[in-house]
Amino acid sequence: MSTIKFTKDHEWIRVEGDVATVGISDYAQQQLGDVVFVELPEIGRNVVAGKEAAVVESVKAASEVYAPVAGDVVEVNEALADDPALVNRDPMGEGWFVKLRIENQSDLDDLMDEAAYKEYCEGLH
């Protein structure tokens, strides 16, 4: 069973056991516009919750993708190097960025569930 949560910076995280898949939300990809480049971390790198885990560049701007939780990078989405537009086409699926081995499950307690995130986004308009 997996659980999806969101950050106020528009990252999503899907947790399966002690591994979390991280990407940006549909709202974020719409705000960015056409994604043209994604810079991913090296496998094995330790990331800190709330700090940079990746960089995404679009026709509008370059933005940091923050780690929703602390952990070690165990896998990166190599497909984004050849096809960064996956982020636009399928942000919550094939357009994921990294997989992290979660250091502290309690980091998840600070994140929003889908309903709370939807309400948060509606409040931004």
Side-chain angles (χ1 to χ4, degrees):
M1 183 173 171
S2 65
T3 303
I4 296 179
K5 297 211 170 196
F6 296 85
T7 70
K8 288 185 176 179
D9 294 316
H10 307 288
E11 289 87 13
W12 58 263
I13 182 169
R14 180 181 304 117
V15 179
E16 295 173 73
D18 65 345
V19 175
T21 304
V22 177
I24 62 171
S25 70
D26 187 55
Y27 178 89
Q29 71 82 19
Q30 287 180 29
Q31 296 300 308
L32 283 167
D34 294 337
V35 174
V36 295
F37 181 75
V38 175
E39 181 181 322
L40 298 170
E42 291 183 21
I43 293 173
R45 180 178 147 202
N46 183 268
V47 295
V48 176
K51 301 293 182 184
E52 180 186 315
V55 176
V56 61
E57 293 182 28
S58 72
V59 293
K60 292 182 180 176
S63 300
E64 294 176 330
V65 176
Y66 301 108
V69 297
D72 293 326
V73 176
V74 294
E75 188 176 343
V76 297
N77 188 352
E78 302 282 352
L80 294 179
D82 295 329
D83 188 6
L86 276 173
V87 175
N88 294 114
R89 289 196 307 271
D90 193 10
M92 301 285 293
E94 295 297 313
W96 62 275
F97 285 70
V98 299
K99 292 188 180 186
L100 305 173
R101 185 164 316 282
I102 301 171
E103 280 181 9
N104 188 348
Q105 292 278 338
S106 67
D107 285 352
L108 298 167
D109 297 342
D110 297 332
L111 304 176
M112 294 178 277
D113 64 18
E114 194 163 358
Y117 178 70
K118 183 178 177 188
E119 187 175 303
Y120 172 73
C121 289
E122 288 172 357
L124 297 176
H125 297 285

